[in-house]
Amino acid sequence: MRVAIAGAGAVGRSIAGELLENGHEVLLIDKAPTAISVERVPQAEWLLADACEITSLDEAALQRCNVVIAATGDDKVNLVVSLLAKTEYGVPRVVARVNNPKNEWLFNEAWGVDVAVSTPRLMSALVEEAVSVGDLVRLLRFSHGDANLVELTLPEESALAGTQVGDVEWPQDTSLVTIIRGTRVLTPSREDSLEAGDELLFVAAQAREEQLEDLLSVRREDTAS
């Protein structure tokens, strides 16, 4: 897979390193000469150019990329890069970094963004996830389909503890994608049983989040009454 990353700062370089380790081709683009540090990520391709300029993106052959990541520290730049990548070059997957949570509402399909990653929101979500049991925590927002990646740790008193996945009537437009049980990561099957303390990851429509939280957090004594 070929990936272009606009922004060769600490975030962009870190992403590039991870992708290269996983066997992908990576191109780093930055207009600041001081950001071009080939020795830091020598396996990547480097381009000194303004990623907001069509001529620069032509030089980068963006049409050959499977994914474009707009990872600069400027939300305006990330939006422009995302829009150009999607509309001018037809890049299948565009991921954009959101620096200011107040701008998150802009990072959607209209601007060519498939996945918006808000670092401040993600950090706060991870803090919530670490201390919250029985509360739904939104980890990531997907622009297409108005869906989110959400997590809930199944509480001890949940009525679903001990229930098989296939026996649960999940809300419409939700999908259980992963069960994290201790150090194990499980791909759920219909025969797997839910256990108290499981971290459950769902892709769910935003409109279904409250219904999903109610289903998972319902107490045993509530169902008995």
Side-chain angles (χ1 to χ4, degrees):
M1 183 170 67
R2 181 171 176 80
V3 183
I5 302 174
V11 173
R13 292 196 306 270
S14 177
I15 296 169
E18 292 285 340
L19 291 171
L20 287 163
E21 285 186 10
N22 290 327
H24 303 295
E25 298 178 33
V26 177
L27 169 65
L28 280 160
I29 308 169
D30 206 298
K31 67 178 181 179
T34 54
I36 304 300
S37 304
V38 178
E39 69 282 357
R40 294 191 179 185
V41 194
Q43 305 96 326
E45 299 175 44
W46 290 79
L47 179 62
L48 176 61
D50 186 346
C52 291
E53 298 288 341
I54 289 288
T55 53
S56 300
L57 300 181
D58 284 343
E59 185 178 356
L62 222 66
Q63 70 277 3
R64 292 177 46 222
C65 293
N66 306 101
V67 180
V68 165
I69 302 173
T72 78
D74 188 325
D75 285 345
K76 296 187 295 295
V77 171
N78 291 342
L79 285 170
V80 171
V81 170
S82 298
L83 185 62
L84 291 175
K86 184 65 72 175
T87 59
E88 297 295 325
Y89 298 92
V91 176
R93 190 73 164 171
V94 177
V95 180
R97 172 188 177 187
V98 185
N99 296 279
N100 186 341
K102 292 182 180 179
N103 297 329
E104 191 173 359
W105 65 278
L106 288 166
F107 286 74
N108 55 32
E109 189 175 357
W111 280 93
V113 178
D114 295 307
V115 179
V117 181
S118 172
T119 303
R121 182 179 295 279
L122 182 57
M123 291 180 69
S124 64
L126 290 172
V127 170
E128 290 181 44
E129 186 271 334
V131 299
S132 302
V133 175
D135 294 328
L136 202 70
V137 178
R138 188 179 299 167
L139 299 177
L140 192 65
R141 179 177 62 83
F142 301 101
S143 296
H144 291 295
D146 193 29
N148 299 309
L149 178 66
V150 298
E151 184 272 350
L152 185 140
T153 299
L154 198 67
E156 290 279 350
E157 65 275 13
S158 173
L160 293 186
T163 304
Q164 289 188 335
V165 171
D167 293 335
V168 180
E169 293 187 19
W170 302 108
Q172 187 178 359
D173 301 325
T174 67
S175 177
L176 175 63
V177 293
T178 303
I179 299 173
I180 301 175
R181 183 172 296 157
T183 59
R184 300 173 61 199
V185 178
L186 309 175
T187 301
S189 68
R190 292 183 56 84
E191 293 74 29
D192 285 324
S193 293
L194 302 174
E195 296 182 6
D198 283 350
E199 292 184 51
L200 308 177
L201 271 67
F202 295 86
V203 173
Q206 187 168 332
R208 303 294 182 181
E209 289 180 4
E210 184 176 352
Q211 185 180 353
L212 180 61
E213 183 174 27
D214 289 343
L215 173 67
L216 293 166
S217 300
V218 64
R219 298 174 182 272
R220 288 194 177 91
E221 55 267 28
D222 292 339
T223 60
S225 58

